[in-house]
Amino acid sequence: MILRIVTAIVLSAALVCAANAERRQPAEKLNPKSVQPPPTPQSSAPSAQPGFVHSPWVKFCGRDKTDLQAKDVCLTVKEARLETGQFVAGAAVIERAGSEQKLLRVTLPLGMQLMPGVRMFVDGEAPRTGPYVLCLPNGCMADFEVNGDFIAKLKKGRELQLQGINVPGQLASYLLPLGDFAKAFEGPPTDPAQHDQELKRQRDERLRGPPK
């Protein structure tokens, strides 16, 4: 799955999608009757979501090998999944070598209403809303153009919260803890094949349960 995500992001010219993020809707358009205000940072520990398994923040780098002029694209990504391994939500900070422009690409599961878009915020910060720009078999993506100040918030924050409206019109929220984001973002890239194997091993161990 990680290999497919890296390939999709590199080949889709992810940074070009920043222009779409500029057409994002204001936060209040995300069904204000259903959406609750963002939480205030009263606790030092991120909220738990029972039944979800979070991958660590991890950094991958690659390039489109079909384009000789292409530059390296790096993404620092985290996912939330069910204990069965089914994808639930994810986020990736995408940066291209030699460019100060960065994207936060947010992915929510299929089955969300497309028109309201996606809302995201760090801790109790003011939320931002962006439209979906691409759907793949694992979910639909929204891109947010971000700057150094936002990256600093991710490094110091407790959790990144992602919100969407599902088909019945209910608010769906997904929390991605940020405790290990700074180390991954500033560190060297990880080999995606080895990372996929490690995630598969951990998932198999959870499904087998503790030894009897």
Side-chain angles (χ1 to χ4, degrees), residues 91-114:
V93 174
I94 306 171
E95 52 184 342
R96 177 176 292 176
S99 174
E100 295 183 358
Q101 188 180 40
K102 295 179 178 62
L103 286 184
L104 174 68
R105 172 162 287 184
V106 170
T107 307
L108 294 187
L110 299 176
M112 293 290 175
Q113 295 185 19
L114 296 181

Side-chain angles (χ1 to χ4, degrees), residues 48-54 79-83 86 88-89 173-176 206:
Q49 286 189 296
F52 286 4
V53 177
H54 293 93
E79 295 180 345
R81 294 178 177 269
L82 300 179
E83 293 182 353
Q86 180 181 346
V88 175
S173 295
Y174 306 95
L175 306 178
L176 299 179
R206 289 195 301 269

Side-chain angles (χ1 to χ4, degrees), residues 3-209:
L3 276 171
R4 290 196 293 271
I5 291 174
V6 174
T7 301
I9 289 178
V10 172
L11 295 182
S12 66
L15 293 178
V16 177
C17 294
N20 293 327
E22 293 303 312
R23 299 198 300 268
R24 57 184 177 270
Q25 302 172 9
E28 61 268 16
K29 290 294 183 65
L30 192 68
N31 196 347
K33 295 182 180 179
S34 301
V35 176
Q36 300 298 319
T40 55
Q42 297 176 348
S43 171
S44 59
S47 304
Q49 286 189 296
F52 286 4
V53 177
H54 293 93
S55 69
W57 284 99
V58 61
K59 183 178 181 179
F60 303 102
C61 295
R63 69 175 62 186
D64 182 359
K65 295 182 179 180
T66 65
D67 183 358
L68 298 179
Q69 303 299 320
K71 295 183 178 181
D72 284 340
V73 175
C74 292
L75 61 149
T76 306
V77 60
K78 188 181 189 75
E79 295 180 345
R81 294 178 177 269
L82 300 179
E83 293 182 353
T84 60
Q86 180 181 346
F87 176 85
V88 175
V93 174
I94 306 171
E95 52 184 342
R96 177 176 292 176
S99 174
E100 295 183 358
Q101 188 180 40
K102 295 179 178 62
L103 286 184
L104 174 68
R105 172 162 287 184
V106 170
T107 307
L108 294 187
L110 299 176
M112 293 290 175
Q113 295 185 19
L114 296 181
M115 290 304 294
V118 177
R119 191 166 83 161
M120 68 87 181
F121 52 90
V122 176
D123 299 335
E125 294 288 334
R128 290 175 57 183
T129 301
Y132 291 101
V133 297
L134 177 68
C135 286
L136 296 175
N138 65 309
C140 291
M141 302 176 181
D143 288 345
F144 297 86
E145 187 176 1
V146 297
N147 55 23
D149 290 340
F150 185 84
I151 298 299
K153 292 176 183 178
L154 292 178
K155 291 179 180 180
K156 298 178 181 179
R158 295 181 299 112
E159 59 194 17
L160 173 66
Q161 186 159 170
L162 314 177
Q163 296 180 336
I165 302 298
N166 60 22
V167 172
Q170 300 170 329
L171 174 68
S173 295
Y174 306 95
L175 306 178
L176 299 179
L178 292 167
D180 55 341
F181 172 80
K183 181 179 179 180
F185 184 80
E186 297 172 353
T190 298
D191 180 82
Q194 293 181 0
H195 184 72
D196 254 6
Q197 293 175 0
E198 176 62 19
L199 290 182
K200 183 179 183 300
R201 183 190 66 79
Q202 295 176 5
R203 183 167 61 250
D204 291 343
E205 288 182 353
R206 289 195 301 269
L207 294 176
R208 286 196 302 266

